[in-house]
Amino acid sequence: MLIAQGKSLAYASTQATPLESYQARVAHYSTTIKLCRVLCIFFMTYVHIHLFKDPALQSSPIYLTITTFLRDIIGRSSVPLLSVISGFLVVGYFGRKSLGSFYYGRMQVLIYPLLFWKITGLLLIIAMDGWRTPTLNNFFPLTGHGGYPHLTFLRDLFVVCLLSPLLFWLVRRFYFSFLVIFIACIYMDFSPIILRSQILGFFVLGIAIAIKPFPPMPTLKYLVPVGFIAVSVLLVLFKLELTTIDIKALPHFDDLVLRPICAYTMFVVALEIAKTKRLAAILVWLEPPIFLLFLSHFAFGNVFKGIFTNLPIVYTPTSYTAVILIIPVLCFVTAIIIKRLLSFVPKNLSVWVAGK
């Protein structure tokens, strides 16, 4: 790879063959991509983990401020950014693996653990709340989420991976078709083929970036984070009822403004962290178990939720909010422990539990 040979990324983009340029960019951004996974998935857990409902506690300023920032702003960066990264990396499989090997590998990473944690989650709910007659979607999100909705991301990602050879050919032949697909995914519903159309749109965007990098736009690095701050302030003020401006009520604001701004800002943050030594090293060390956190956080979040609900200390606004902050950390620690333990079990079992 050109980066490994001491060449600059600019040289790789202008002088190398398309394959060498792509490989150079993958190598150049490998640490940043790992950091994006850690940041996106960790903050995604705050979107899915909740405590018991209590209007008084959930209307406190501290709870509204923190949860709005974590769930409605930072947490919304995960699906688009992870989809772009998946589309960018999937291009590297073409020509390196047969189509059958590629599909089987994606099934191991995405579908096996999806089934395992769907069934595990269903059994956990039955154990905690009593018997409930399951539907087909409780076992696999075929036509709907069916509980544990975050796992639908894996189902949709597998579908777009199945379509990726066609998408790759289409974007390589008609480059700006990615823009048509991206806009179509905002205004059209492709369910039940793809339950979250935005995943397809951002996935194709990643393929387009892999095929032909976008021209340098240095101002975006500064303008988008400024937009992120503005959106964050307005959303928090709206939740605190300090303004009547509900920007989320704007048509397609979530897909066209909020998620792209949050995703790009998260990428910039990861890019800057990658330049550090200690912090980047710590977060990269956390990357191997991060996918297991994604798979398991809803299940273990319910367990920790049940434990904290029985503690009297939780029933104040500050402690209630603190528990919301603590539970994802506990889920992450649990995922790290399980990931370590999986190194002692047969590979086939590890694949079902953690995808690899």
Side-chain angles (χ1 to χ4, degrees):
M1 295 185 184
L2 294 176
I3 291 298
Q5 297 170 0
K7 304 295 185 180
S8 67
L9 189 62
Y11 179 92
S13 300
T14 58
Q15 303 296 325
T17 65
L19 177 59
E20 289 174 325
S21 175
Y22 170 75
Q23 292 175 333
R25 283 182 287 142
V26 171
H28 182 76
Y29 290 110
S30 61
T31 298
T32 303
I33 288 172
K34 291 178 181 178
L35 295 174
C36 285
R37 289 197 186 107
V38 173
L39 295 173
C40 285
I41 292 177
F42 177 70
F43 287 109
M44 178 195 293
T45 62
Y46 286 101
V47 178
H48 305 133
I49 292 177
H50 299 265
L51 267 176
F52 56 89
K53 293 183 179 180
D54 187 309
L57 297 175
Q58 292 175 334
S59 62
S60 69
I62 186 172
Y63 174 85
L64 289 174
T65 300
I66 291 176
T67 55
T68 298
F69 185 69
L70 291 177
R71 293 172 180 167
D72 297 335
I73 301 169
I74 298 183
R76 300 304 176 190
S77 69
S78 56
V79 169
L81 185 50
L82 293 175
S83 298
V84 170
I85 290 173
S86 296
F88 177 76
L89 294 178
V90 81
V91 172
Y93 288 101
F94 301 134
R96 188 159 56 90
K97 287 187 175 183
S98 67
L99 199 57
S101 297
F102 167 65
Y103 285 154
Y104 180 67
R106 293 300 88 192
M107 181 176 291
Q108 285 185 308
V109 172
L110 302 173
I111 301 301
Y112 286 7
L114 185 158
L115 289 170
F116 178 87
W117 287 101
K118 268 283 188 179
I119 295 172
T120 300
L122 178 62
L123 294 175
L124 181 63
I125 290 174
I126 292 173
M128 295 178 66
D129 298 332
W131 172 257
R132 295 180 182 181
T133 303
T135 65
L136 178 60
N137 288 324
N138 289 130
F139 294 97
F140 186 86
L142 190 63
T143 59
H145 299 298
Y148 287 47
H150 66 290
L151 294 175
T152 303
F153 176 75
L154 301 183
R155 177 255 198 223
D156 283 347
L157 190 57
F158 181 70
V159 172
V160 295
C161 283
L162 292 179
L163 298 173
S164 59
L166 174 61
L167 298 171
F168 176 73
W169 174 86
L170 188 63
V171 176
R172 188 172 59 175
R173 185 75 181 272
F174 309 101
Y175 183 71
F176 286 100
S177 63
F178 85 87
L179 193 57
V180 176
I181 296 172
F182 183 84
I183 294 173
C185 288
I186 293 174
Y187 290 94
M188 297 177 64
D189 181 12
F190 293 101
S191 60
I193 299 174
I194 299 175
L195 296 178
R196 292 176 177 170
S197 299
Q198 61 174 273
I199 293 174
L200 172 61
F202 285 106
F203 185 88
V204 174
L205 177 61
I207 291 177
I209 295 172
I211 292 174
K212 182 180 179 181
F214 291 172
M217 294 177 282
T219 54
L220 277 181
K221 185 177 179 181
Y222 304 99
L223 289 179
V224 173
V226 170
F228 173 83
I229 294 172
V231 167
S232 301
V233 171
L234 281 174
L235 281 178
V236 171
L237 290 177
F238 178 77
K239 284 295 183 74
L240 295 175
E241 298 183 348
L242 297 176
T243 179
T244 57
I245 302 174
D246 183 8
I247 55 177
K248 289 196 73 173
L250 297 174
H252 301 290
F253 173 82
D254 193 63
D255 289 327
L256 286 175
V257 180
L258 181 61
R259 288 181 182 270
I261 285 179
C262 293
Y264 189 84
T265 301
M266 188 66 77
F267 176 75
V268 171
V269 170
L271 203 60
E272 293 303 313
I273 293 176
K275 298 176 183 177
T276 69
K277 290 185 178 180
R278 292 184 179 180
L279 181 57
I282 292 172
L283 293 180
V284 168
W285 180 82
L286 292 172
E287 194 267 342
I290 197 66
F291 185 56
L292 185 54
L293 172 66
F294 172 81
L295 294 167
S296 64
H297 71 270
F298 202 76
F300 290 121
N302 281 331
V303 173
F304 290 122
K305 167 186 171 181
I307 294 172
F308 281 108
T309 299
N310 293 317
L311 300 178
I313 195 175
V314 177
Y315 292 82
T316 67
T318 302
S319 59
Y320 183 87
T321 306
V323 170
I324 291 290
L325 296 174
I326 291 171
I327 289 180
V329 177
L330 296 176
C331 291
F332 204 170
V333 172
T334 305
I336 293 171
I337 295 171
I338 294 176
K339 183 67 175 177
R340 290 297 182 91
L341 293 175
L342 286 175
S343 63
F344 300 102
V345 305
K347 181 67 175 178
N348 291 339
L349 177 59
S350 176
V351 167
W352 278 91
V353 177
K356 52 185 176 179

